Amino acid sequence: MELSSVILTTGVSVGFFRVVNAGVGKLPMPESACRNAWKWRNISTSFVHSFITAIWAVLCFFRHPQMAEDLIETHSVFSHALVSLSIGYFICDFLDMVLNQKLNQSWEILFHHIVVGLSTITVTDQN
């Protein structure tokens, strides 16, 4: 997958998850979630990401079964797009947490997003 396609897919992913986050904020929420509406939106957006990536990952193996034999050297454009989508989600979630939550409450997850994002970029770069 070319760098321009990765950047485009990642950018579209950031935008998509921003729209999901805003859309979740418009939906009715349980009374218990009203006390912390931001957390409700954030967890709901995370669930949408998890749901999409779970289905997409299975489809990656279905469309390119050779990946089951060698996850290091074997990949497809479809699986690269999945990685780009996840990087976009991590960027979106990172920014959402930086803007809406105290650092002492979220530093572990922010650190997780940085490490996973950088390691994903490094592994993708080598292929």
Side-chain angles (χ1 to χ4, degrees), residues 40-97:
W40 175 259
R41 284 192 323 272
N42 185 273
I43 290 171
S44 298
T45 303
S46 176
F47 176 77
V48 170
H49 170 256
S50 298
F51 184 78
I52 291 170
T53 56
I55 292 169
W56 197 325
V58 171
L59 289 174
C60 284
F61 284 101
F62 180 76
R63 293 185 68 196
H64 201 79
Q66 299 85 352
M67 285 178 38
E69 296 170 19
D70 184 8
L71 283 173
I72 304 301
E73 298 295 326
T74 307
H75 57 276
S76 65
V77 173
F78 195 62
S79 60
H80 269 232
L82 173 58
V83 171
S84 296
L85 175 104
S86 288
I87 291 172
Y89 165 74
F90 285 144
I91 291 169
C92 180
D93 193 45
F94 182 91
L95 294 172
D96 188 40
M97 287 196 297

Side-chain angles (χ1 to χ4, degrees), residues 8-37:
L8 177 64
T9 305
T10 302
V12 168
S13 173
V14 171
F16 171 75
F17 286 109
R18 289 295 304 143
V19 169
V20 168
N21 193 289
V24 168
K26 305 281 187 220
L27 296 174
M29 65 180 79
E31 190 176 319
S32 60
C34 291
R35 285 178 271 135
N36 197 346

